[in-house]
Amino acid sequence: MEQPICLVGIGKIAVDQHVPAIANSPDWTLAATVSRAGTVDGVPSYSDFDAMLVERDDIRTVSLCLPPVPRYDYAVRAIAAGRNVMLEKPPGATLAEVQDLTTRAAANGVTLYTTWHSRMAKGVAAAKAFLADKTITSGYIDWREDVRRWHPEQEWVFEPGGMGVFDPGINALSILTDVLPRPVHITSALLNFPENRFTPIAAEVAFSENLTMTLDWLKDGQQMWEMILRAGDDQVHLSEGGNRCVINGTEVAGSVLDEYPALYDQMARLVSSGASEVDLAPMIHVADAMTLGKRVTVAPFSF
Ligand code: NAP
């Protein structure tokens, strides 16, 4: 049976992914939106989140699609009002605020889901299953895209808490931390900060187990979201952001659902069982890269 859900923050990802995923979901009906400016045709819209929480007692679940910095305050209010909360990635601006939300959700008996959409990419489950009993010997991540194409005029990505190139890079880290049989840790990082910005636009990161990661947000032409993981003679190649998986040269069949439908499917399962799912592992790597990273100033950036 479909349950009403409210989408908060009608921006790029809400329109591109959340609205269609909910429209096609057997579990959810988009019953309201909260936005300062955006609306969704045929759906009641609110500009005041607290008014929606008071007036729409029928809506027990909210999905927060705001950027990370403003999201925490919305999550606190939703949890206090007894609502289940689904968080876009990254789940917060800081680790501590997500830990705080976790405590609040448990105290209020509601579901908190820190979504990682790339973990739902079609090839990830097969990679994880194959690597489960292996020992990683080396590997690399190559995540190169054009920020002007994917985040047009989104100044928040270069503001404190916006994470810069780690905004897409954390998608790679969400896959890595899901498929590895044992956790790794960052051993060094080089971060390129445009001289007029607060967050990095490129990064080179080294991990234990001979893993490396290149993040580049100024890639022209063919975009690249690749990961190679080796375990002795075995090799797993995830490409297209985890949506294709080739194991030892043979392409394997992927999961059935696309990323966002799979997230809403999981949220329905969590709510029906009264469980939460909170995983900060990808964000811990970003925090560590920022802590350990050597900073280099590079040319200014403008959209
Ligand atoms: P966005 O379009 O720039 O912002 C989303 C919406 O958040 C805005 O339209 C605005 O909604 C609201 N908002 C922004 N700043 C706010 C503030 N200070 N206070 C209150 N509301 C504010 O961003 P996005 O690309 O959708 O990204 C949102 C989240 O999704 C990020 O965490 C991002 O990492 C994640 N994500 C993005 C993509 C992508 O390709 N863009 C892909 C996957 C995940 P209203 O104007 O409606 O109030």
Side-chain angles (χ1 to χ4, degrees):
M1 202 177 81
E2 293 188 2
Q3 304 175 54
I5 191 169
C6 174
L7 266 187
V8 183
I10 306 303
K12 186 169 189 314
I13 199 61
V15 171
D16 288 358
Q17 297 290 347
H18 290 258
V19 171
I22 293 169
N24 292 314
S25 168
D27 300 305
W28 302 103
T29 301
L30 185 55
T33 60
V34 177
S35 166
R36 298 165 308 178
T39 56
V40 174
D41 280 351
V43 178
S45 64
Y46 293 78
S47 55
D48 182 333
F49 186 51
D50 295 317
M52 189 284 296
L53 290 172
V54 170
E55 288 172 29
R56 297 301 302 271
D57 198 43
D58 59 312
I59 300 176
R60 305 310 304 166
T61 301
V62 301
S63 179
L64 302 183
C65 305
L66 315 155
V69 170
R71 202 182 308 127
Y72 169 79
D73 284 339
Y74 285 77
V76 167
R77 283 186 269 159
I79 292 168
R83 302 316 206 272
N84 306 301
V85 174
M86 190 167 163
L87 300 170
E88 249 299 352
K89 53 67 44 172
T94 70
L95 295 163
E97 70 181 32
V98 185
Q99 288 172 330
D100 175 64
L101 293 179
T102 308
T103 306
R104 288 171 186 265
N108 282 275
V110 298
T111 291
L112 180 68
Y113 180 22
T114 60
T115 66
W116 296 107
H117 67 86
S118 290
R119 284 187 177 172
M120 299 302 195
K122 292 185 170 218
V124 172
K128 181 176 181 170
F130 180 78
L131 292 171
D133 61 352
K134 307 285 189 298
T135 300
I136 300 297
T137 49
S138 68
Y140 64 86
I141 293 169
D142 226 340
W143 227 250
R144 301 172 197 254
E145 61 175 56
D146 182 353
V147 62
R148 295 185 176 96
R149 179 166 157 194
W150 301 102
H151 292 274
E153 308 299 333
Q154 290 182 341
E155 296 288 343
W156 63 263
V157 297
F158 288 111
E159 291 298 314
M163 289 196 182
V165 75
F166 286 96
D167 177 80
I170 205 167
N171 297 334
L173 292 169
S174 73
I175 296 175
L176 185 76
T177 50
D178 194 30
V179 303
L180 285 184
R182 269 182 307 285
V184 292
H185 60 271
I186 289 179
T187 55
S188 69
L190 192 66
L191 310 173
N192 289 0
F193 280 71
E195 66 177 41
N196 60 338
R197 299 289 180 171
F198 295 112
T199 62
I201 198 159
E204 293 286 342
V205 181
F207 299 84
S208 54
E209 316 297 342
N210 301 312
L211 295 177
T212 59
M213 175 168 80
T214 297
L215 304 178
D216 174 9
W217 230 359
L218 291 172
K219 177 81 169 72
D220 283 335
Q222 181 75 31
Q223 309 289 282
M224 184 180 288
W225 300 282
E226 307 243 356
M227 186 178 304
I228 298 260
L229 296 170
R230 300 189 193 91
D233 292 336
D234 290 315
Q235 177 174 291
V236 172
H237 181 188
L238 284 165
S239 59
E240 298 178 14
N243 279 296
R244 289 187 66 194
C245 179
V246 173
I247 298 177
N248 294 334
T250 303
E251 180 140 10
V252 297
S255 317
V256 176
L257 289 178
D258 286 326
E259 294 174 25
Y260 279 82
L263 293 180
Y264 279 96
D265 185 58
Q266 174 65 354
M267 185 62 179
R269 267 198 298 274
L270 291 170
V271 168
S272 76
S273 61
S276 285
E277 185 178 312
V278 175
D279 183 6
L280 286 171
M283 215 170 136
I284 289 171
H285 285 315
V286 176
D288 284 358
M290 299 288 195
T291 304
L292 196 61
K294 203 179 279 180
R295 294 175 184 227
V296 177
T297 301
V298 297
F301 173 83
S302 56
F303 280 103

